[in-house]
Amino acid sequence: MLALVAVLALVAAAPVPDDELRTAVHELRTDEAVRPIDLARSVVELRTEEHRGTETTLTLSADVLFAFDSAELTAIARRQIADVAGRLADSVTPVRVDGYTDSFGTLAYNVILSQRRASAVADLLRPAAPAGVLVSARGHGSADPIARNTLPDGSDDPAGRAINRRVTITFGDQ
């Protein structure tokens, strides 16, 4: 042990020739390391609303509603769903809650996860629905993507996958 300490002290004290230092230092090419961000694809709307006649469909990002691989609603999700629940008072048609995942994971697992997520949202909406108005929940897994999960070269598309992870709530107004 003492001999090792002595060798380390000698190595630390020995000067390093300039030519060795020059070959050990490499130029950093930042133009190759920095990539632009496509803001249009990187910013995901957390909630969108679409109207078709008397029917309204709200789409909520699952990334806001749930933690990764979870069907437990976040505090933010509970506030969002409470806001939606307030709008159901005038609903006269069944309320549909549909859950979707991205393409990661097996088809069977994604269907189960999306069903659990849709059920969690529907469970919060049921007490707000008018008497006699059914609130149903259905998980679709990675079916019906609204964005691509992979880029044209086959590599992962995180922004597209984020868009596909969603819960939709559809209800009718008078």
Side-chain angles (χ1 to χ4, degrees):
M1 175 80 168
L2 191 52
L4 179 59
V5 171
V7 170
L8 289 174
L10 285 174
V11 170
V16 178
D18 288 346
D19 59 331
E20 285 185 38
L21 284 176
R22 279 190 212 92
T23 59
V25 176
H26 300 284
E27 181 181 339
L28 180 61
R29 303 227 9 152
T30 58
D31 58 329
E32 295 172 5
V34 177
R35 296 193 175 132
I37 296 174
D38 180 356
L39 289 179
R41 294 204 28 84
S42 298
V43 177
V44 177
E45 290 188 67
L46 303 180
R47 179 174 164 174
T48 61
E49 188 167 327
E50 183 180 342
H51 301 276
R52 277 184 242 118
T54 60
E55 191 173 77
T56 299
T57 299
L58 300 172
T59 301
L60 306 171
S61 169
D63 291 351
V64 172
L65 299 177
F66 308 98
F68 177 75
D69 195 30
S70 171
E72 187 173 328
L73 291 159
T74 65
I76 293 170
R78 291 180 182 282
R79 287 193 298 272
Q80 286 285 320
I81 295 167
D83 178 55
V84 172
R87 297 179 59 186
L88 296 182
D90 296 329
S91 185
V92 293
T93 62
V95 177
R96 293 187 322 269
V97 180
D98 294 284
Y100 301 90
T101 65
D102 60 26
S103 62
F104 271 17
T106 66
L107 292 174
Y109 183 80
N110 284 338
V111 168
I112 292 167
L113 178 61
S114 63
Q115 178 64 51
R116 289 177 47 225
R117 288 177 168 182
S119 294
V121 171
D123 288 346
L124 282 184
L125 292 175
R126 280 189 186 99
V133 173
L134 175 70
V135 178
S136 65
R138 183 169 176 211
H140 301 271
S142 60
D144 303 322
I146 55 176
R148 60 184 180 215
N149 289 292
T150 57
L151 296 171
D153 67 1
S155 63
D156 184 38
D157 185 357
R161 286 189 303 103
I163 293 168
N164 289 329
R165 294 187 298 265
R166 66 198 189 279
V167 172
T168 63
I169 304 166
T170 305
F171 56 94
D173 300 323
Q174 289 181 336

